[in-house]
Structure formats: structure tokens, C-alpha cells
Amino acid sequence: MSFSITSLTQALRPVKNLLAGRPVLATFQVNLRCNSACGYCDLPLNVGRYEMTREEIRDVFSRLYRDGVRFVLVQGGEPLLRRDLPEILEDLSAIGLHLTLITNGTKITPQLVERLARLPVSISVSLDTLDRERYRQIRGADQLPLVLEGIALLKDFPHPKFLTCIVSEANRAEAPAVVRFAREQGFLPVMGAYHWSVGTYGRPDELLMYDRASVAAVFSGLLDGELIPPGYLRKFVEDNVSWLRGQKLEPCDAGRYSIAIDASGNVSPCLAFPSVGNLLESPLSEILGRFDREAINTCSNNSSCNRLDGRVVGTILRHPIAALRSAQALTSRGALS
């Protein structure tokens, strides 16, 4: 009986979190190293910072699960540079967490795909362009052939797969072609706008900086051309148009439904805010109490960014029909053709 009560309590915990405005989603930087040098990234990478061990990660996320966190976006740096990543994903999956692996696609191998296929893990591959020289300019490394090879290896991957494209001045004319490529390969396209100088997130890069009206027209064209499948991802593109036109967005999830955790265990409301505590030293409940809610609300009210991971939960709650259509797209091959 006690086991049943415990199980019921854990099943209801994320619902209680949603009602109380507490996190159910975490963006987790599993490592702080990267083999790219993207012009839009200003995360502190490749500087030798401490990364939690596999055992520490398992313990931290076991506690987070008990706290009601159920969804984890696993990223880096480039997460596939971490040699024990498959084991870490196995641990997190065994805890009961729903995982999405976010990668630049340069380190995908047949062995890795076979191993991940046995786990309930979604994969998101970042790809901003199909032009090799343009890729080198945006990503700071000549890696497009590796990415395309990795995408080809995921042809029969049995779980949801996404292709994420960050639209900037450098690639805005190519955005429709990237979306078509994603759908031809069986990926759901995730289209976001390049941000710069948003808190600690987004590095200004003259190659990438754009006139907002020009990029808003790109996203509007994707909608008009029915290139984005129905559901949440289409709603995200619509929000991009609103954000680029300076319109106010609905409140973001930072520090409320979602948090960011770096590889050292440091916690912040999102990647645009500095950390206020470490999960190796303090429980999540204590860290949440340190968040500057006024600063978070000010940032959200100013609509200074439109990050997908900082808006997904709230948007789904506000637009359940779009969420349902997203679920249908994830389970229907026809939606990707």
C-alpha cells in the first residue's frame, strides 16, 4: 500500500508543480565543451570548468524527479563530446525522465544511434544552412559534411527527431530550404530567431545581426507557405513573428515551469540569468527561493527573447489544442512529408 501511495504521489507531483508554478522542465548542460565556435553563442565553454560525474548527475536528477521535474533537454556545449553520455542518458531514463538530446550532429555514429534507439530519447540536430561555406561562417568550423552524415544515420530512428535552425542575417534567405530538407529527412523543423545581448545570453555578431522586419518576413513566409506543420512548433513560429515585430508575448517559463542547470550543478532561471545556487550543495526548493522574481518578470514583460525552452510548457498549457496537434505530428509519418 505504501508503494502505491508513493507512486501516486510521484505521479501527481508534476501536476502540483504546474498548479503552483514550479519547474517540470530542466535545460541541462551535460558538459561545458564544444567542437564548434558559433557566432551567436557566448556560453562559457572550453575553459576547464568542473563537470559533475555520472554518479553526481544521477543523484541530482533523482532528487529533481522527486521534486516534480519530468522533462530534461540535454545539451552542452556539444553533449556528444562527453564519453559517458550514453550511460548518463540511460541513468536519466531509468529515473523516469523524458529526454531530448540537443546536438550539433557532428559526432553521431551508427553505434550511438543503435544505443539511443533503445531509450525513450528524442533527438534535436542543429542545422542553420545547407551551404558548406555559410555553415563554416556561422558555426566557426567546417563541419557540414559530418552533420549531414549524422542526419542520414538517423533515417530510421524510432523516436521523435527535430531539426533546429537559428535564423539570422547570414541564412535568412535559406530558411525555407532548410525546412523542406528537415521534412524530407523525417525531422520536425524548429525555427528560431537569433538573439543577442539578452542578459548573459546571445553574443552580438555583425555577420548574423539583422533588421527585425526582414527576419519577421521570413517567418511569415514559412507560415504562409504551410511549411511548418500544425501544432506547437507552428505556434512558436507565430510567436517569433510577434517578437520580431516588437509585440508583447505571453509570460515565459523561466524560474517558474523551467530552470537551467549547467554541468557543474549551478542553477539559474534560464540561460539569460546568472546562477544563484548549486544542486550539489543546496536543494532545489532553497535555490528557487533565491530567484529574483521581479527581474524575471521584467525580462519576460519586455519580451526580450523568445527561447523555445523558456516558453514550451506555458505555451502548451495555454494552447492545449496546439499541443494535441503537436503530439499527432510526432506520431504520424504523414505529417512530415
Side-chain angles (χ1 to χ4, degrees), residues 27-34 36-47 49 75-79 102 198-204 260-263 268 270-273 307 309:
T27 297
F28 176 43
Q29 291 176 272
V30 69
N31 69 343
L32 299 166
R33 292 164 281 134
C34 193
S36 297
C38 301
Y40 45 67
C41 178
D42 62 354
L43 296 174
L45 305 175
N46 302 325
V47 291
R49 294 169 61 204
Q75 61 178 54
E78 170 45 48
I102 301 172
V198 179
T200 59
Y201 172 72
R203 182 174 64 189
I261 306 169
D262 74 10
S268 59
C270 76
L271 292 175
F273 280 83
R307 284 183 55 85
D309 54 358

Side-chain angles (χ1 to χ4, degrees), residues 35-336:
N35 58 344
S36 297
C38 301
Y40 45 67
C41 178
D42 62 354
L43 296 174
L45 305 175
N46 302 325
V47 291
R49 294 169 61 204
Y50 178 73
E51 296 176 0
M52 290 186 288
T53 65
R54 175 187 174 187
E55 292 73 21
E56 287 174 327
I57 292 171
R58 183 172 59 235
D59 291 344
V60 161
F61 278 91
S62 292
R63 294 195 297 272
L64 290 176
Y65 182 87
R66 292 193 291 271
D67 286 331
V69 173
R70 290 294 183 272
F71 304 93
V72 183
L73 307 180
V74 181
Q75 61 178 54
E78 170 45 48
L80 295 184
L81 292 179
R82 181 152 182 162
R83 294 182 179 180
D84 59 353
L85 179 69
E87 290 79 11
I88 290 171
L89 295 177
E90 289 169 355
D91 290 343
L92 297 181
S93 177
I95 291 169
L97 295 162
H98 303 276
L99 309 174
T100 298
L101 174 64
I102 301 172
T103 172
N104 64 19
T106 61
K107 294 290 183 179
I108 297 173
T109 65
Q111 295 77 17
L112 178 71
V113 172
E114 181 180 357
R115 193 165 180 180
L116 295 185
R118 297 195 291 266
L119 298 174
V121 177
S122 303
I123 291 183
S124 177
V125 177
S126 301
L127 180 65
D128 301 326
T129 175
L130 299 170
D131 181 88
R132 185 169 180 172
E133 177 56 22
R134 189 173 298 120
Y135 185 100
R136 186 197 63 76
Q137 291 175 338
I138 296 173
R139 295 275 173 169
D142 183 13
Q143 297 170 324
L144 180 60
L146 294 175
V147 179
L148 296 180
E149 289 174 11
I151 289 173
L153 290 173
L154 292 168
K155 178 181 179 181
D156 298 318
F157 190 69
H159 309 303
K161 51 188 182 179
F162 305 87
L163 191 147
T164 300
C165 174
I166 302 300
V167 180
S168 68
E169 181 63 25
N171 69 336
R172 62 183 175 90
E174 197 181 354
V178 173
V179 171
R180 292 189 184 95
F181 173 79
R183 299 188 65 166
E184 289 167 359
Q185 301 300 314
F187 285 69
L188 283 166
V190 182
M191 307 299 289
Y194 160 53
H195 296 78
W196 63 90
S197 299
V198 179
T200 59
Y201 172 72
R203 182 174 64 189
D205 186 317
E206 291 186 1
L207 174 70
L208 307 178
M209 295 167 72
Y210 51 76
D211 171 74
R212 286 196 171 201
S214 298
V215 176
V218 171
F219 285 100
S220 294
L222 295 177
L223 295 171
D224 293 342
E226 300 293 331
L227 292 175
I228 305 298
Y232 173 72
L233 295 179
R234 186 174 179 85
K235 180 67 176 67
F236 181 54
V237 172
E238 293 171 352
D239 283 350
N240 270 284
V241 175
S242 298
W243 176 77
L244 288 162
R245 290 176 176 169
Q247 300 170 6
K248 185 175 180 178
L249 298 179
E250 295 160 318
C252 78
D253 300 339
R256 185 173 50 146
Y257 299 133
S258 66
I259 54 174
I261 306 169
D262 74 10
S264 304
N266 297 312
V267 181
S268 59
C270 76
L271 292 175
F273 280 83
S275 64
V276 296
N278 189 288
L279 289 167
L280 297 177
E281 303 168 354
S282 306
L284 177 62
S285 57
E286 181 179 319
I287 294 173
L288 292 176
R290 301 174 191 166
F291 285 169
D292 186 339
R293 301 291 174 176
E294 183 176 349
I296 296 171
N297 289 337
T298 298
C299 183
S300 177
N301 289 338
N302 290 336
S303 297
S304 57
C305 83
N306 186 29
R307 284 183 55 85
L308 178 65
D309 54 358
R311 294 187 178 273
V312 59
V313 177
T315 300
I316 286 174
L317 291 176
R318 288 186 291 266
H319 303 278
I321 295 177
L324 178 61
R325 299 186 77 182
S326 296
Q328 292 171 340
L330 290 173
T331 56
S332 172
R333 288 288 180 181
L336 301 177

